[in-house]
Every structure is written in structure tokens, then in C-alpha cells.
Amino acid sequence: MIIREINAMRGPNYWSIRRHKLIVMVLDLEKMEEFPTDKVPGFSDRLKEMFPTMYSHRCSEGCPGGFFMRVDDGTWMGHVIEHIALEIQTIAGMDTGFGRTRGYGEEGVYNVVFSYMEENVGRYAAEASVRICEALIAAEDYNMEDDIQQMRELRESSRLGPSTGSIVQEAEARGIPWIRLNKYSLVQLGYGANQKRIQATVTSETSSIGVELACDKEDTKFLLEQAEVEVPKGEIIRRERSLEAACKHLGYPLVIKPVDGNHGRGITVDIHNYEDALVGFNRAKESSKSGAIIVEKFIQGQDYRLLVINNVLVAGAIRTPAHVIGDGKSTVQELIDQVNSDPRRGYGHENVLTKITTNELTLHIIKDAGYSLESVIPRDERLVLKDTANLSTGGTAEDITDIIHPANVSMAERISKIIDLDICGIDIMTTDISKPISVTGGAVLEVNAGPGFRMHLAPTSGLPRNVAAPVIDKLFPVKGDTGRIPIIATSGTNGKTTTTRLIAHIAKMTGYRVGYTTSDGVYIQNRLLMTGDCTGPASTEFVLRDPTVNFAVLECARGGLLRAGLGFKKCDVAVVTNVSGDHLGLKGIHTLEQLAKVKAVVPETVLPDGYAILNADDDLVYDMRRNLECNVVLFSMDENNPRIKALQRLNGITAVYENGWVTICRGEWKMRLMKAEHIPLTYGGKAKFMIQNVLGAVLAAHVQGISIEDMKAALETFIPSSSQTPGRLNLFEFKDFTILLDYAHNPAGMRALNMFTDELEATVKVGIIAGIGDRREEDNNEMGSIAADMCDEIIIRQDKRLRGKTEEQLIKMLDDGIRMRDPNKKITIIPSEREAIKFAVKNAVKGSLIILCSDVVPDALELVKKLKEMDNRGELHLLD
């Protein structure tokens, strides 16, 4: 069995699966038909023995044990691999249950789709499930524990922590989109100019001065003392020789910690003699960046954490360090094992509690208490195993929010303003939090920037608190604010790029700061920042991450969708231009109907109050309306199209080409924009397919509230050229001939180009065409046939983008197509595009039209511009 590819789907896939993060495996199962599960001796028994918990998998039978029924009856191995991938994730603590296995369109090849919680774990599970299935077929032993542990470690290394994750989850619940900006905890909430950022529990609105103060315990303590807040008496020292004097002055017991420490690092508590103080000093020194050490009076009591968000106390917890309680017969190690057997304890942050680990510090603490791991401690004696109460080291937390004395609440909220932190954790030591610390002799030990939320979200006991909600309330104070910007997505086979560019131009002319993606690059306010085919999710996220953008127009191509899904979950408007044969036979897409399902993913992501703009002249596009949960808007080149008329009778929104006008209709009321012949993009109305692009674009602008006047101004100033529409009907008028450069790269595009060139006068029409390596043979044949109809002479070139085929194969496909249409057509073969263009120019006759079909537009444009400059200088005769 071979995994051909594994793709992470960031959005719905072409089966219209929603609300899942999916891995798509293309499995090439060699001699697949020889290994159905009922033909492999003992396979079912080995599978059941290895995965008894799979009995819960209902599969298509719809009942417990349904999957095993399928195995007993005989099913393909891709189906088994799907279920193994789901089950091993569940065993590793990531319960996820969605999966599908479908034919890929090639014999023995299958699409295996399953959900994941962490992408890197999902990828690992995909590969591990194949290895496990191979072992089951071969009746070989397989140690699954290594895979389970590896998946746990992968999850912990990459997933968002509990604090960040809770904020993201709260944002999602409110419809706020998010993007992870690095592999750690830096997350963007919202899009573009409306975004906010968090890093763990530090926000983009957190005061940098506040963070600096909280990280400097000396300054924090000084400010709190000045404000008459109870803090422990102490001294700041930097050298060991100052330690003894400080100890004598303050008196034992003491606490020693670094001034600039955090997360409990380098802290030693309850010190009763100088020898222990010296050990604590050295430990603090190791964790101190500045070398400054705090020696302060140890306050008796319990460790409390008060959480203040936006200057309001929202939660409190009492924290207890990891510990065991003796039973008079078990060793320390056995007691630790008993504690760790609690199902609430897990690896890292996977459960409410974390397993207790015995590291060097733990052994040192046990030794200081007079014990070892083999010691049996007396019944009911409590042995502390860690020097801090952090949950990440095995500590526990109890919610005490409702019993905090009002004086302590007021003090905590006041401290957050003194230190100037929007989110802060205040550590208090006191014997009773229900009384003012001024009465109990308690004190404020620390103020923490970026405090952990885990103890409040899932306390060991007490009421969980949704402490993420006030964070979102602060970042997005206006009710209903989702931090989104308008997103218009375009899909279809042809016309996507021009439609995208035109919509972006209209929005820019209206005053928006626009970011848009196209097949030739990513633009921010018309400035090209990325080049190449940028129609996938990475380019989309580039735009949505940009803090200057407040309007996004995103071209979404088939390749990006199948390879990695979408870079957004929801859009406001989707435009589908058309569906025609292109890239068929790739990625399991073999028919127009399958291709239409891929394209339909885009309108299926439109928000319920948004708009899907569909081409009513295209049956496959029109049928997309059936699966939509948003408003449907139609456009047509025929105002009498019955589909248009039906929607108009329902008072719907449409756009039509009628009596030479581009017209928007609300119900049956017409709002005429411009005559098509006055829109530069249509070349005087000759480029009919450009009129179709205009209809989709103006509808997108209209439903976004852009006025007719602004649309007219934008249409008048959107001039077809190498700068505004590179590679889309770019006409270059030379002194004696004309070059038309276009990105016609499939039969439908070639037919549209043929219709346009039929409207152009020329003494001779010379075509320069190339085959496309990732198209079927019949597609390249058809492009050759269309070129034969369009041109008097044809130059076949083939030097780039072979995509799995040879230069000779592609040339032959085009040549065969031309010969099928016109056996006597004049054909010249010049493999180099550059040389083919120069040959056509050198041999151009007066009044001729050179039709250049290029799939590498930037290179072709650069050469044609240079030739135009030479022509202007009268130097074309010097062309080599």
C-alpha cells in the first residue's frame, strides 16, 4: 500500500463536508482487489483483538459493531485504514469520529478522508494506519504504544494551550474567525484591519509597560507598597555575600526567587536556615535574567490566584502543589502511581489534571523531607512533591470565586490598574480569602502578565468559570462585532481572475483598502506583493492577515481547493462564473459534475445573510443553488432567461445584458448601469465573455451596498491592459500589425477567444499555442481544433509547464487536433515561446493579428513590451 499524498483540508472539501478539519489521503493500494478483508485469513480476528474499542464504530450499518460487520462481510482496505486512523487518535486522547472512503476514479486507488483535532497528529495517524494495516495483513506483531505516545507528544508540541484555546473557542462561538500566526500561541482574531491579536493571555491591547512591570518583581513590589497594598517585606540582592545579612534582617521563614522570573521558575519557599537559603539563592540565580534576587518574608497560609480581566475580578482559585498522602503501607512511588491513575490526569494538557512526573527537583524535595521514592510514609502524612502549585506540574485547583471578600476583590481590581494590565493574575498568600488580607496577615506575592486560565476553566473542584468570555468582550466590545471584513470569493472555470480584479477595482474606487488574490499574484491596494498562481489558502490567509486591508476579494481555484481547502470558513459573497472542462482526470475529478461539486464549495461557505451570485446560463452553476443556505442572485446574457424571470417574480436580485445595456434588476425593476460598448473591458461590446464577467462583478458590488454611480466610475476607469488585466485580452498595436495576448488555457477559454477574434479585422491571423500537460489528450486535441478555426496559420510552441508529459507528446496532441479540423493548415513548430513570438513578429505581414496564447503571462508580457518599444524606435528590423 502506498500513500500517494496527504492533504490538510482547511475548509469544506468537495463532498460538501462541513464543520470538520480533514485529512485527505489518496491511497494507491497495490493489487487492492486481492485483499478484501474476508479474503485475508484471520484478518478480522486480529483487527478485533488489536482494537476492541472499535465495536463502537457504527459505520454504514448504523449500529454498534457495524464496522466489524462490514469487515466480516468483506470490505476494502482503504475503509479499514480510515477506521484505524480515527481509532488511534481516540486512543491518544483526541476523540474524533468522521470518516469516508470513496473511489478516486482509478482502479485500486481510493480517497480516504478522516477528521482530526491537530493536523500533525492527523498526518501521523494517516501514515501509522497504513503501517498497522500492513502488519495485520501480514499477521505480524505491531507495537501501537509507540505511535500513541508519538501522537500525544505531537499534539502537545503543536496545539494551542488551554488558555489560548479557550479564547479561540469563545471567539468561534461568537462567529469571530481566527488564524494561527505561528507554531506557538500567537493568534489573530478577526480579519484584516479589524483584527485583534492574542499570545496566550496577552492581548494586542495589553500595556507593554504593564508587562514590563509584572516581569520585574522589584518594581511591582515598590509600586504596590507605594499604594499601601500588603506585600511581604523583603530585599533585592545580587551577590551571595549579601544573602546572609538579608536573612538575618528579615528573619526566617523566607522565600527566595528571581526578580524577573515567571511560571514559578527558580522559587524556593519556606526556608528555615542559611544552608537552604544558599541553595535557593543559586536556584534563583539560574532562572534570573538580570541576576537580581528577591529575599522576602515567607507568608503563612494558602496559595490563591485571583484573575482580573478588564479591571474586573472574574475568578479565583486556591492552588495546591502536587502531593501525595501516606497510607502507612505504600511507597512514595506507589502513591504517585495511584494519584496518576485518576482518569482526570493526562499527558500535558490533554485532561483537567496533569500527571505528576518525578524529575530531579521532585527527588530533591522528597530527599529534603527525609524520604526517597521507595520510602513508606505514615498514614495521613502529606508529602509535597513540587515547589510550586502550577497545574502543569501536577498541582490541583479549587474554585473559590464566590467566597472572596469584597475588600480583596476591590484590592485585586485596583492592583490591575496600578500595574496597568488588562489581564492579570494576582498571587495572594493568606489563611482565609473570605477575610481581608489586612486582617489575616496575608500579602500579595506577585502580579502576573499572561496568567494561565486552566485552573479557572476546569478546576479540580468547584465551579468552572468561562474566563475567556470577558477577554472577547474586551477585544470586541460592540455586540455582534465579529472582527470580519467583507470577503468576496470567486470560483468557476474561466473569468475568475478578471472578475476578481474588477470587483477589487470597484471596491478600491469606493474607498476601501483592498487585498485580492489572483492566478498571477497577491495584491494589496494594487501593489503586487506575491507572484505566481496565488489562488490557494496560503494566499488567502496572506490577505486576511494584512492589518491594512478592510475588503478582500479572493480567487479560489480548483487546485487550491483540492490540495488544501479554503483559507476562510465563511465569506459574504461568492461569484461562480461558469463550469467547463478543465483539469479533468486530476485529483480524482473525472467529470464536469464532479468539477462542479468542487466549485460549489465556495458558494456553500457564504454566510446565511450573504449572497451567492450564480450564472443562470450555466446548468451546473445554476444547480448549485440547491445546497445553499444563503441568498441567491443570478446573472444572464439573456434577459428573457426563464430562470431570471422566475427569480424576478420573487422580487430577487438579477443582472442581465439587455438591449446592449448592463442592467441590475430588483424584482422586475431595472437599473441600467452602462451600455456594454462604453465599458472599456468589453472592447466596444465585442468581448461577450467580458460582459458576462462584468455582470457578476457589478452584482457583487451591488449586494455590498456600492452605489450605481460608483460602479459606473469604476467600470469607466478599468482599462484592459497589461497592468490592470495582465494576460486577459491585452492588445498591443504595432505599426504594421497587432498582438493579442490572452491566458486562454482550456477549450472553453479558446472558444471565447475565437468569438472575440472573429470580431477583429485582420489580413492574416497567426496563432501561437501550446499544449497543457495536466489536461487530457482530448482537451489538447480540442484546443488544437479551435485554434484551427480561429487562425490562418499556427505556431506550436512547448517549452514550459510540461506537468508530467513530454514536449513531443503535447505538440503531437495539438497537431492532431489541428489536422482533424484542417489537414492543410499551415503549422510551424518552435518549442521556445520566446523564439516563437520573435518568429511571428519578424514574419508578420501588414494588417495581421498575432494571437498569443500564453500560460506564463509575465514572461510573454515582458517580451511583447520590449518588442513594442523596439517598434516605436523603428528597430524591429534589428530583431535577432
Side-chain angles (χ1 to χ4, degrees), residues 654-674:
T654 58
V656 293
Y657 177 55
E658 51 91 23
N659 294 323
W661 287 83
V662 170
T663 301
I664 294 175
C665 304
R666 285 267 183 176
E668 296 181 347
W669 294 98
K670 294 180 179 179
M671 296 175 284
R672 284 179 166 172
L673 268 73
M674 295 177 65

Side-chain angles (χ1 to χ4, degrees), residues 735 865-878:
K735 292 177 182 176
K865 287 178 180 179
K866 287 182 179 179
L867 294 173
K868 185 72 168 67
E869 291 172 3
M870 291 178 67
D871 187 51
N872 293 338
R873 296 193 300 266
E875 297 176 354
L876 270 185
H877 65 284
L878 300 176

